[in-house]
Amino acid sequence: MSRFVVTDLGEPILVVAPHPDDETLGCGGLIALAMKVGIKVHTLFVTDGSASHPASKKYTPDLMADIRAAEAQEALRRLGAKNQPSSFLKLRDGRMPVPGQNEYADVVDFVSDLVSVSKFKTVIVPWRRDPHTDHRICWQIATDAVRRSGRQTTFLEYQIWLEESGRPEDWPGEAEVDDATLDISEVVDIKLHALAAHRSQMGMVVDDDPSGFVLSSKTIARLVVDTESYWVSRWPVA
Ligand SMILES: [Zn+2]
């Protein structure tokens, strides 16, 4: 699979977003195209996104979590997915459980049950060696959960931070994955509009943390283009 269209994918589809905004940055075009042809997409937001502005006094982590969940719902609405299922695991941003911890096992159980009940045929996850630790752990959770469920699913991996801060060894090895490119030109404006729903990540909400996170125009220009690039891993993955 090099170039694909959304109807090539088995449905329903599960999109795993480490933080609110990854669903749009990574696969907003795919979600919007799926909505146009009636393909079901369940979006799973793993962390609460509460760590984006740690120095703010006004915007506490709990308040940021609420704001970011609302922004995520609005982004899904703009992508046409308002009536699609979504789940918010609300793990603490930047402090995710890791394999070996009880909380990690609980999360894998939850996602595994979701995969079994919803019978996902395609699972879209962050790239396994994305430089952001939360993204890597989300790949691990999804991988462990699907393995536990015993279901055969296609894995598509999207990278968010690899091009900006990845090390050479973070990139795919030879024959590790296949390239898969989706033409999203007909919905790229929708993707940009959906991304704009994440106002707190655009520097438009928090006004007392100058060192807080802001999505750069460079990142947006890199990820909101006429194609979305995925890597397809063959199941079972190592
Ligand atoms: Zn993220």
Side-chain angles (χ1 to χ4, degrees):
M1 182 155 61
S2 51
R3 293 189 78 83
F4 71 102
V5 293
V6 74
T7 49
D8 293 336
L9 300 174
E11 67 161 313
I13 295 171
L14 174 66
V15 168
V16 177
H19 311 98
D21 75 7
D22 289 316
E23 82 296 335
T24 300
L25 286 167
C27 22
L30 186 151
I31 295 170
L33 288 169
M35 294 306 102
K36 284 180 179 285
V37 292
I39 291 176
K40 277 193 198 160
V41 177
H42 187 128
T43 306
L44 175 69
F45 296 95
V46 180
T47 77
D48 60 10
S50 61
S52 63
H53 294 79
S56 174
K57 294 274 186 287
K58 278 198 289 190
Y59 293 87
T60 61
D62 284 348
L63 180 54
M64 281 310 299
D66 290 346
I67 289 170
R68 297 202 65 186
E71 290 172 346
Q73 298 280 19
E74 174 62 13
L76 288 179
R77 190 189 69 77
R78 293 182 185 191
L79 292 171
K82 180 180 170 213
N83 296 320
Q84 297 292 307
S86 58
S87 307
F88 290 82
L89 291 184
K90 299 197 169 175
L91 300 184
R92 275 295 187 215
D93 186 0
R95 297 211 308 264
M96 289 186 67
V98 295
Q101 295 179 336
N102 289 340
E103 193 187 1
Y104 180 88
D106 292 345
V107 174
V108 170
D109 280 349
F110 177 89
V111 178
S112 177
D113 287 349
L114 183 65
V115 170
S116 295
V117 169
S118 302
K119 300 182 168 56
F120 298 117
K121 294 219 174 87
T122 303
V123 176
I124 305 183
V125 295
W127 167 238
R128 61 189 75 178
R129 292 190 295 279
D130 190 286
H132 196 310
T133 304
D134 288 352
H135 288 222
R136 292 178 183 228
I137 299 175
C138 283
W139 176 85
Q140 190 68 54
I141 288 169
T143 302
D144 289 345
V146 171
R147 185 180 287 128
R148 157 112 25 125
S149 77
R151 292 195 62 79
Q152 297 284 318
T153 67
T154 302
F155 264 57
L156 263 60
E157 302 181 33
Y158 60 89
Q159 64 91 1
I160 300 290
W161 302 112
L162 184 64
E163 286 177 324
E164 288 183 33
S165 53
R167 301 163 302 175
E169 60 268 34
D170 293 335
W171 288 79
E174 204 175 318
E176 186 177 13
V177 290
D178 294 323
D179 292 334
T181 306
L182 178 67
D183 180 348
I184 66 155
S185 53
E186 69 173 281
V187 294
V188 70
D189 292 344
I190 294 174
K191 176 169 177 167
L192 189 60
H193 185 52
L195 186 61
H198 293 284
R199 297 178 72 247
S200 68
Q201 306 306 291
M202 305 288 180
M204 296 171 69
V205 174
V206 180
D207 54 7
D208 66 342
D209 182 1
S211 60
F213 178 79
V214 178
L215 265 173
S216 72
S217 52
K218 178 178 140 201
T219 299
I220 296 169
R222 180 170 60 78
L223 292 172
V224 185
V225 291
D226 281 349
T227 57
E228 282 178 349
S229 299
Y230 298 90
W231 284 313
V232 182
S233 45
R234 279 155 252 136
W235 188 258
V237 294

